[in-house]
Amino acid sequence: KISGEKDYDAFKFNVEKDQQFVFEVLANRFGSALDALLTLTDDKGNVLERNDDAVGADARIERKFTEPGEYVILVEDLLGRNGDNFGYRLTVRRPQPDFVVRFLPDNPRIHRGGHTPVRCELSRLVGFNGTVRVAFTDLPPGLFGEPLILTPNGPPSGLLVLSAAKDCPLGPVPLKLAATSIIGGQAVARTVEPLSNDKPVKEGFLTVLDESPFTLDLASLNAALEQDQSASVVVAAQRRPGFVGEIKLSAEGFSAGRDPITKSFEIQPASLKGPESQSAVKFKAKLDSEVGTRPILIKGETSIDGQTVTQ
């Protein structure tokens, strides 16, 4: 625990030539206030490596020691804070292939009869090169979603689409995901961590809302285009009786990272006005766009009594 003014903890250890270790502080992900700063020095106090934000506010150093001898690992708070709620666990282990999957947002919302995306991000550790399957677990009746498969040759992230039936119970429900793979011939499972503002949190929640005044369907299920070429995706809207508001259409997805879709495409604005029920979203691939086959999502937004409704 970092509990006194200017407090820090130092651990001295010996290594042999070419030994490799992972030093990791677990604090923030378990609710500790500690913003860990992890420092590795030699026996003379020379700083060899320093880290403060490997996993959220938690710190991690992985190092292969080319010289045998005595070293020191230090733990402190990045901002020099301390107190009874600044506890932590320091783990030291030999590296082995592993993976971590996280999802965001941690609190998505979905309308009855609608869909909402959940983004999953895979971190491969110590040479792990396996296929990872990510799926929702323990969903209550009325909620469902297909699993996401992340392959070694594909992007390290992807979208899971969660769907709600028209009679799905309303209100918040816990949102849990699991990631499975094979390591060393053994099946392994990892709980997928929710992210809030890029920091891991203990739990994620999904809020089920009543039916939206409209739903969207795709009349085009695929589009192929080369860089500097254009293609269109046709979108059909089902309006509830009496709703004639404008639905503004946009697109999300495609990127292998968190970049907006506009990094790769110029998107012509589209909307459905009055009683219109069909329109097309036009994409033009930029000359430096990412290549490959990736999912995209078409998003529709309208305003009801000053509130934005999204499908």
Side-chain angles (χ1 to χ4, degrees), residues 101-105 117-121 148 156-160 177 192 253-259:
V101 182
R102 301 179 179 91
F103 75 86
L104 68 157
V118 175
R119 180 177 183 80
C120 296
E121 299 180 340
L148 171 68
S157 62
L159 297 174
L160 275 170
L177 290 81
V192 181
F254 193 82
S255 173
R258 292 194 195 177
D259 292 311

Side-chain angles (χ1 to χ4, degrees), residues 79-275:
L79 303 176
R81 302 169 302 165
N82 64 87
D84 288 339
N85 60 333
F86 282 73
Y88 69 91
R89 175 182 295 167
L90 173 66
T91 66
V92 185
R93 56 181 171 82
R94 294 182 184 274
Q96 59 183 1
D98 204 350
F99 64 94
V100 174
V101 182
R102 301 179 179 91
F103 75 86
L104 68 157
D106 65 316
N107 56 352
R109 295 151 64 91
I110 189 171
H111 289 270
R112 280 176 164 176
H115 316 278
T116 194
V118 175
R119 180 177 183 80
C120 296
E121 299 180 340
L122 167 66
S123 297
R124 298 181 180 272
L125 308 177
V126 197
F128 171 75
N129 199 36
T131 295
V132 177
R133 180 184 187 271
V134 187
F136 296 107
T137 62
D138 302 326
L139 287 176
L143 291 170
F144 53 94
E146 293 292 328
L148 171 68
I149 306 297
L150 299 171
T151 62
N153 297 324
S157 62
L159 297 174
L160 275 170
V161 178
L162 190 64
S163 301
K166 290 185 178 181
D167 58 353
C168 183
L170 299 174
V173 295
L175 186 60
K176 299 179 181 180
L177 290 81
T180 55
S181 188
I182 303 293
I183 298 179
Q186 300 293 318
V188 295
R190 300 284 183 263
T191 299
V192 181
E193 298 179 329
L195 288 179
S196 177
N197 296 321
D198 271 346
K199 293 186 177 182
V201 293
K202 291 183 179 180
E203 291 184 282
F205 287 90
L206 171 75
T207 301
V208 181
L209 307 173
D210 206 353
E211 281 188 283
S212 166
F214 70 95
T215 59
L216 296 178
D217 295 299
L218 294 178
S220 306
L221 298 182
N222 62 73
L225 66 163
E226 296 181 4
Q227 291 174 332
D228 204 33
Q229 288 189 347
S230 298
S232 295
V233 172
V234 178
V235 185
Q238 302 291 329
R239 295 174 179 268
R240 292 177 65 181
F243 173 68
V244 293
E246 181 182 10
I247 303 170
K248 296 181 180 180
L249 301 175
S250 59
E252 294 181 350
F254 193 82
S255 173
R258 292 194 195 177
D259 292 311
I261 196 170
T262 50
K263 177 187 177 182
S264 291
F265 299 96
E266 296 174 5
I267 301 176
Q268 181 175 311
S271 65
L272 295 165
K273 299 179 180 180

Side-chain angles (χ1 to χ4, degrees), residues 6 33-37 52 76-82 86:
K6 297 183 180 180
L34 181 70
D35 189 352
L37 175 64
D52 70 312
E76 57 191 309
D77 185 77
L78 179 65
L79 303 176
R81 302 169 302 165
N82 64 87
F86 282 73

Side-chain angles (χ1 to χ4, degrees), residues 12 18 26 66 73 75 158 201 203 206 240 257 272:
K12 187 181 294 184
D18 291 334
L26 297 89
T66 57
I73 194 84
V75 182
V201 293
E203 291 184 282
L206 171 75
R240 292 177 65 181
L272 295 165

Side-chain angles (χ1 to χ4, degrees), residues 32-53:
S32 171
L34 181 70
D35 189 352
L37 175 64
L38 193 60
T39 305
L40 176 67
T41 75
D42 61 17
D43 59 347
K44 297 180 178 60
N46 298 312
V47 174
L48 303 178
E49 198 165 344
R50 182 170 277 158
N51 179 266
D52 70 312
D53 279 328

